[in-house]
Structures are given as C-alpha cells and as structure tokens.
Amino acid sequence: MRSSAAASSWPSPADGRPPSIRRALSTLEREPLIISQNGSCIFRGERLLYTDPMPREDALAAAEEASRWPQCDVVLETAEQCWVYHGFHGVVEEQLLSRRYQYAVIHDLADVEGDVVKVACYIKQDIDGFAAWAKGAWSDRLLVARSGVSWVDFNVTDKGKGLLAACRLLGSLRRRRWPSGTT
C-alpha cells in the first residue's frame, strides 16, 4: 500500500520524464495557468499575467453596431468583468450568473471600464445573417467567429496565440524560478 506522501508525488520518477520536466509539471499542478477569453487572458490563480486587448475604438464601435440588430444581447468582456450593453433578454443573465461572472448592465458604452478583450453577441434570430454581416463589416480589423449556436465573438486573438503566449510565460516563469542550467 502506498503512503499518502508517495501518492502525492506526481509525476513519479518512474514516468520516464527528465527531472526538469517533472519539476515544470508539478509546478503547473500546484499553480495552473488558465487561458480564457479565446486566448486573450492568461491567469495564474487570481493574478492576471497576460492580456491581449482589442483597440478600444474598434471594440466600442463593433458593440454599438451589433446592438442595432433585433434581439441581440451585447456583452463587452474585460479581464475583470462583463459589461452587458444591449438587450438583456434573460439568457445572457442566466449564463453570467451560472458561471459566477461579475457583470454590470450599462446603457452607455463610455461606462465600460478596463481593456476590452472580447465582444460577445447573443443573437436569438438570424444568427447566420448576423455572422455574415459581422465578418463582412469587421474581419479586416477584428477576428470574428461564431461561438456556439447563438453566439458570435469579436476579438483580436485566438486560442493558438493564447497558447503561444502561455508557452512564453512558462519559459519566463521557469527562468526566474529555477537556477541557470536547468532546462
């Protein structure tokens, strides 16, 4: 029978990984990086390590134009919270509450505080028409992607860029934490 001390030493020396890889993985087990907002934010615990915000004028203009679509809820997301700008037909509120997001309902885009990392639009009707409009109107400045059955997102990064940023952060964190010569 294994003792609790042996059970907690993951990964084990028998797993075939070099010691430096075992140390890196055990560090991530204790303090995982969390990549959110389609790769726009990287957290370690509650601490924001990286963000790739949208140009503010593009984020606000996209939100304003999207809000003109009938039955469209527009949510501007920062690393800290969500700002619900238009609509609020109940579905968005339920999703924000169920995920325990901090959010505020606003009636003026000037009320958005912080760097916007994503504009998410919930469309009840004609999602295909909205997605086509959004790509035509904004794809020269922003990434536009359908994100589920009723959502279209605008941002400036993607999961691949977020993962690359996380790899760079891990390399930077490793160099600061471990003695030189450790690979």
Side-chain angles (χ1 to χ4, degrees):
M1 182 177 222
R2 299 175 87 187
S3 71
S4 61
S8 66
S9 64
W10 178 91
S12 74
D15 71 4
R17 295 183 180 113
S20 61
I21 299 297
R22 287 195 305 269
R23 281 193 297 271
L25 292 174
S26 66
T27 298
L28 285 176
E29 181 184 23
R30 288 189 310 274
E31 299 174 318
L33 292 182
I34 299 166
I35 303 172
S36 67
Q37 308 300 15
N38 293 341
S40 296
C41 297
I42 300 176
F43 293 88
R44 179 169 246 163
E46 298 290 321
R47 192 169 46 120
L48 179 65
L49 299 178
Y50 168 86
T51 185
D52 190 7
M54 300 170 68
R56 188 168 182 84
E57 60 278 359
D58 288 343
L60 299 183
E64 179 64 39
E65 287 183 26
S67 73
R68 295 184 189 131
W69 278 75
Q71 296 190 1
C72 175
D73 289 334
V74 179
V75 181
L76 296 94
E77 300 183 28
T78 66
E80 294 80 26
Q81 78 173 50
C82 299
W83 304 86
V84 180
Y85 172 58
H86 186 266
F88 212 67
H89 298 99
V91 173
V92 170
E93 181 179 22
E94 288 173 19
Q95 290 189 10
L96 293 174
L97 288 172
S98 71
R99 294 186 176 119
R100 298 185 181 151
Y101 284 133
Q102 292 185 3
Y103 71 93
V105 177
I106 58 171
H107 302 286
D108 185 343
L109 288 170
D111 293 338
V112 175
E113 297 173 9
D115 292 331
V116 177
V117 295
K118 182 170 74 172
V119 175
C121 300
Y122 176 81
I123 313 298
K124 282 189 86 106
Q125 297 176 358
D126 195 19
I127 184 72
D128 294 327
F130 181 86
W133 163 79
K135 286 180 182 179
W138 288 98
S139 63
D140 62 329
R141 289 171 278 174
L142 302 172
L143 296 176
V144 179
R146 187 149 171 200
S147 178
V149 175
S150 300
W151 289 93
V152 172
D153 293 343
F154 300 79
N155 58 19
V156 294
T157 195
D158 58 30
K159 292 176 177 106
K161 289 180 184 177
L163 189 56
L164 180 60
C167 290
R168 288 184 179 139
L169 279 170
L170 285 172
S172 171
L173 294 171
R174 189 186 76 220
R175 282 191 298 277
R176 280 184 278 168
R177 186 174 197 140
W178 294 332
S180 63
T182 303
T183 58

